[in-house]
mmCIF file of all heavy atoms in Angstrom:
data_model
loop_
_atom_site.group_PDB
_atom_site.id
_atom_site.type_symbol
_atom_site.label_atom_id
_atom_site.label_comp_id
_atom_site.label_asym_id
_atom_site.label_seq_id
_atom_site.Cartn_x
_atom_site.Cartn_y
_atom_site.Cartn_z
ATOM 1 N N HIS A 1315 17.922 10.815 -15.131
ATOM 2 C CA HIS A 1315 18.264 10.891 -13.699
ATOM 3 C C HIS A 1315 17.513 9.796 -12.952
ATOM 4 O O HIS A 1315 16.589 9.190 -13.488
ATOM 5 C CB HIS A 1315 17.864 12.260 -13.128
ATOM 6 C CG HIS A 1315 16.382 12.472 -13.130
ATOM 7 N ND1 HIS A 1315 15.677 12.854 -14.252
ATOM 8 C CD2 HIS A 1315 15.444 12.314 -12.159
ATOM 9 C CE1 HIS A 1315 14.394 12.933 -13.968
ATOM 10 N NE2 HIS A 1315 14.219 12.599 -12.691
ATOM 11 N N ASP A 1317 15.365 9.259 -9.240
ATOM 12 C CA ASP A 1317 14.719 10.047 -8.186
ATOM 13 C C ASP A 1317 15.253 9.562 -6.838
ATOM 14 O O ASP A 1317 14.933 8.458 -6.394
ATOM 15 C CB ASP A 1317 13.192 9.877 -8.257
ATOM 16 C CG ASP A 1317 12.606 10.566 -9.487
ATOM 17 O OD1 ASP A 1317 13.353 11.280 -10.186
ATOM 18 O OD2 ASP A 1317 11.409 10.375 -9.742
ATOM 19 N N HIS A 1375 15.458 7.964 -15.928
ATOM 20 C CA HIS A 1375 14.366 8.440 -16.762
ATOM 21 C C HIS A 1375 14.534 9.931 -17.024
ATOM 22 O O HIS A 1375 15.239 10.617 -16.286
ATOM 23 C CB HIS A 1375 13.009 8.147 -16.101
ATOM 24 C CG HIS A 1375 12.878 8.777 -14.745
ATOM 25 N ND1 HIS A 1375 13.443 8.242 -13.610
ATOM 26 C CD2 HIS A 1375 12.275 9.928 -14.351
ATOM 27 C CE1 HIS A 1375 13.184 9.033 -12.579
ATOM 28 N NE2 HIS A 1375 12.472 10.066 -13.004
ATOM 29 N N ARG A 1405 4.530 10.997 -4.749
ATOM 30 C CA ARG A 1405 5.618 10.244 -4.119
ATOM 31 C C ARG A 1405 5.336 10.035 -2.647
ATOM 32 O O ARG A 1405 4.581 10.789 -2.041
ATOM 33 C CB ARG A 1405 6.936 11.043 -4.204
ATOM 34 C CG ARG A 1405 7.353 11.375 -5.607
ATOM 35 C CD ARG A 1405 8.141 12.669 -5.644
ATOM 36 N NE ARG A 1405 8.390 13.060 -7.029
ATOM 37 C CZ ARG A 1405 9.516 12.829 -7.686
ATOM 38 N NH1 ARG A 1405 10.533 12.270 -7.086
ATOM 39 N NH2 ARG A 1405 9.648 13.176 -8.939
HETATM 40 FE FE1 FE2 B 1290 12.310 11.853 -12.007
#
Side-chain angles (χ1 to χ4, degrees):
H1315 66 280
D1317 290 352
H1375 58 281
R1405 301 150 187 262

